[in-house]
Amino acid sequence: MTLSPTERTTIRRNAKRAGTDRAQLHAILDSGLVCHLAMTVDGAPRVLPTGYGRSGDTLYLHGSTGARSLREGAEGVAVCAAITHLDGIVYARSLMHHSINYRSAVVHGNARAVDSPEEKWEALRVISEHLAPGSWEHARQPDKKELAATAVIALDLAEASVKTRAAGPADDAEDIAANEAWAGVLPLRSAWGTPVPSDDLPAGFEVPAHVTDRKEA
Amino acid sequence: MTLSPTERTTIRRNAKRAGTDRAQLHAILDSGLVCHLAMTVDGAPRVLPTGYGRSGDTLYLHGSTGARSLREGAEGVAVCAAITHLDGIVYARSLMHHSINYRSAVVHGNARAVDSPEEKWEALRVISEHLAPGSWEHARQPDKKELAATAVIALDLAEASVKTRAAGPADDAEDIAANEAWAGVLPLRSAWGTPVPSDDLPAGFEVPAHVTDRKEA
């Protein structure tokens, strides 16, 4: 049982790590920052990091790092997007049982170009609020020219898989009995640092709460 | 000028962000933890997070998260691997100038199956030392059976591109003059937490230095 019943979203290796809950998919997407977007360009696979946002069961992307890939994607071609959180390194008594604790989502589908001004506006809002929550109201919103210069694609979340590992090492009995190596998890987390004002910002401009109080990445 | 002269590694958008130094490529790879590996499966792009290691100008991968993709990759097919570090969110006065500070590497090539026992051993060593530096000497090394059950692919680093952004916001003059929004960078970093010993580890087993003293991710 996975989130969607297609062959490519049915997790076979370490199937116990497969997630089956759509809320879990949404949570992994919502707590990420960029996705890795793959598509076929000139017959070869290409993958690029790209910003995104989610609205319901639609993922919106606009390619600050891949203008060409975005044009290709806008033509309805097949794409695949992965969002990965690394939560810790799993140290086992044997090398072969070393592992990573992670939360990972993979979405498959055909990209759809977002053309209507209303949907594009909503897409840019969710992409913006995902990258920088609070900025949509605080900063200047896109004008008509900026809007026209921006390409946005949509990806339906219907076909997706989730895979997670959140556990200690799973060593072989002989290695546990030998007791010759340490075993455990070294947690990894992302943390925000202290905001650095822009050089051209007048002194005394207070850092707004949506930046200082941003919740953990 | 990029790291390699092919069309797909020539960065056109924000070309000033392109890296040209092979040492910079190595540094981005060496300080990452997983890559996102893309390949074509059943005619569609697929991307998965995968562990890796580097030896000289060869990237070695073994697919703890993608056994099928690894088999496909071992057949010499085209693959693409991206390694991305997110360093901060760039808050600008306008939404359209919001950005991300990052260091990103993308490698293109045809995967090569690693069959010789000597190269496979070296590949597993560098993958292991990349994931968990110090574990290769501390933990039990792979036995013959484990070695035979492990598939490793190699990817030449000849064709690669590097792109980085490490700067404050680049706002339009009118938005700077208006002075109506905060602008700056919220740094993002990864940090190790406190090691959590495995439940089945005898009390008093001291956490080894290669875990406690692991340098920043």
Side-chain angles (χ1 to χ4, degrees), chain A residues 104-137:
Chain A
S104 166
V106 178
V107 183
H108 308 259
N110 292 310
R112 172 175 63 82
V114 175
D115 293 322
S116 93
E118 295 74 21
E119 189 182 6
K120 196 191 252 192
W121 187 258
E122 170 64 4
L124 291 179
R125 190 188 67 78
V126 300
I127 293 169
S128 165
E129 285 298 284
H130 183 253
L131 176 71
S135 279
W136 189 255
E137 291 304 325

Side-chain angles (χ1 to χ4, degrees), chain B residues 65-193:
Chain B
T65 54
R68 173 161 181 202
S69 61
L70 204 72
R71 283 200 310 276
E72 304 270 344
E75 290 160 24
V77 298
V79 299
C80 183
I83 291 90
T84 308
H85 302 269
L86 302 180
D87 295 326
I89 304 297
V90 182
Y91 290 78
R93 281 93 168 174
S94 72
L95 265 309
M96 297 310 284
H97 282 300
H98 273 56
S99 189
I100 299 179
N101 281 342
Y102 62 91
R103 290 160 290 144
S104 166
V106 178
V107 183
H108 308 259
N110 292 309
R112 172 174 63 81
V114 175
D115 293 323
S116 94
E118 295 75 19
E119 187 181 7
K120 196 191 251 192
W121 187 258
E122 170 65 4
L124 291 179
R125 191 188 66 78
V126 300
I127 293 169
S128 164
E129 285 299 283
H130 183 253
L131 176 71
S135 279
W136 189 255
E137 290 304 323
H138 179 80
R140 178 177 65 72
Q141 294 180 1
D143 59 28
K144 278 184 181 173
K145 195 178 158 190
E146 290 171 332
L147 209 58
T150 307
V152 176
I153 59 173
L155 180 58
D156 197 293
L157 293 178
E159 190 176 355
S161 61
V162 161
K163 204 168 174 186
T164 61
R165 189 191 195 283
D171 271 307
D172 296 338
E174 311 88 79
D175 292 322
I176 297 173
N179 195 32
E180 288 174 350
W182 186 80
V185 174
L186 183 62
L188 179 64
R189 66 183 183 88
S190 293
W192 299 115

Side-chain angles (χ1 to χ4, degrees), chain A residues 8 13 36 46 64 84 93 95-96 98 128 135 138 140 150 175 182-183 185 187 189 191 193 196 198 200, chain B residues 8 13 36 46 64 67 84 93 95-96 98 128 135 138 140 150 175 182-183 185 187 189 191 193 196 198 200:
Chain A
R8 60 188 179 183
R13 193 161 182 284
H36 280 83
R46 190 169 299 192
S64 60
T84 308
R93 282 94 168 173
L95 265 309
M96 298 309 284
H98 273 57
S128 165
S135 279
H138 179 81
R140 179 176 65 71
T150 306
D175 292 322
W182 186 80
V185 174
R189 66 184 183 89
V196 180
S198 179
D200 54 14
Chain B
R8 61 188 178 183
R13 192 161 184 284
H36 281 82
R46 189 168 301 191
S64 61
T84 308
R93 281 93 168 174
L95 265 309
M96 297 310 284
H98 273 56
S128 164
S135 279
H138 179 80
R140 178 177 65 72
T150 307
D175 292 322
W182 186 80
V185 174
R189 66 183 183 88
V196 180
S198 179
D200 54 13

